[in-house]
Amino acid sequence: MGGTGTLKAVLFDRDGTLVVDVPYNGDPRLVRPMESARSAVARVREAGLATGVVSNQSGVARGLITPAQVEAVNQRVDELLGPFDVWEFCPHGTEDGCPCRKPAPGLIHRACEALGVEPSEVAVIGDIGADLGAAKAAGARAVLVPTPVTREEEIFAAELVANDLWHAVELLLAVPEDAALSAGPAVRTGGNPTQGAPA
């Protein structure tokens, strides 16, 4: 497997990160990629890195969607942006105490095992604190791509914050791990580095 430095794989959150968040979506026809998602995922592959998706799907536990519907939506995401090398989702609710539900690290550990990489060789891109919490608990690096649902405190707590998916990928590929982790707020501002990025 190729890689850039010690980075060998990028794991994406699904809803609100790769695709527009439709709460408890079980309909593949409603899947819409986020802006720059296609180009960002393609950029990861061009760099020789593996790709994967780690997603909480508590709608299954709530009885709002079935595992088959989750798989159908995932398949549609694969058709639009994939194929991804690994898919992992948690069907449990917050009250279940599941070790795979983000911010627990189980989904990331499972994805790493499937890819044959260590968590330290993986980066996670997500839109909320649970994504970053799971990455930290697993020992992976993380980039936050805020959306309107991202809380202010989650943005403040994130070590790397990107304007969109393209910017997130560029941060991971361009900034050495040690520099990225020490940079903190320095990578958050400075205009709009994603202006003109591929859609």
Side-chain angles (χ1 to χ4, degrees):
M1 180 180 295
T4 301
T6 60
L7 185 62
K8 294 184 178 178
V10 177
L11 302 177
F12 298 86
D13 171 56
R14 194 190 79 179
D15 303 318
T17 300
L18 282 176
V19 298
V20 175
D21 186 15
V22 177
Y24 310 119
N25 182 28
D27 187 349
R29 295 171 298 180
L30 300 180
V31 174
R32 298 289 183 273
M34 294 289 280
E35 184 179 357
S36 81
R38 288 186 178 90
S39 56
V41 175
R43 179 75 177 89
V44 173
R45 296 192 181 103
E46 288 167 4
L49 307 179
T51 59
V53 182
V54 286
S55 178
N56 286 348
Q57 294 296 327
S58 65
V60 175
R62 298 167 186 262
L64 300 173
I65 52 176
T66 66
Q69 287 176 308
V70 174
E71 295 287 0
V73 170
N74 291 348
Q75 183 177 351
R76 180 57 178 159
V77 178
D78 246 355
E79 291 170 358
L80 293 172
L81 303 173
F84 290 90
D85 298 299
V86 63
W87 279 87
E88 297 289 349
F89 76 89
C90 173
H92 303 107
T94 54
E95 67 283 354
D96 295 329
C98 173
C100 67
R101 178 176 170 80
K102 295 178 291 183
L107 290 179
I108 296 173
H109 286 315
R110 278 172 21 194
C112 288
E113 184 176 352
L115 293 172
V117 299
E118 296 298 323
S120 61
E121 299 171 320
V122 167
V124 177
I125 300 177
D127 67 317
I128 60 173
D131 301 314
L132 276 60
K136 184 175 181 179
R141 69 196 84 169
V143 183
L144 181 71
V145 182
T147 68
V149 305
T150 311
R151 297 198 301 268
E152 201 169 309
E153 59 266 30
E154 295 174 328
I155 299 173
F156 181 79
E159 292 175 325
L160 287 174
V161 180
N163 294 337
D164 60 13
L165 271 178
W166 177 264
H167 184 209
V169 168
E170 285 298 290
L171 285 175
L172 290 172
L173 297 180
V175 182
E177 177 183 7
D178 293 341
L181 293 179
S182 64
V187 300
R188 301 165 188 257
T189 57
N192 181 11
T194 61
Q195 193 166 17

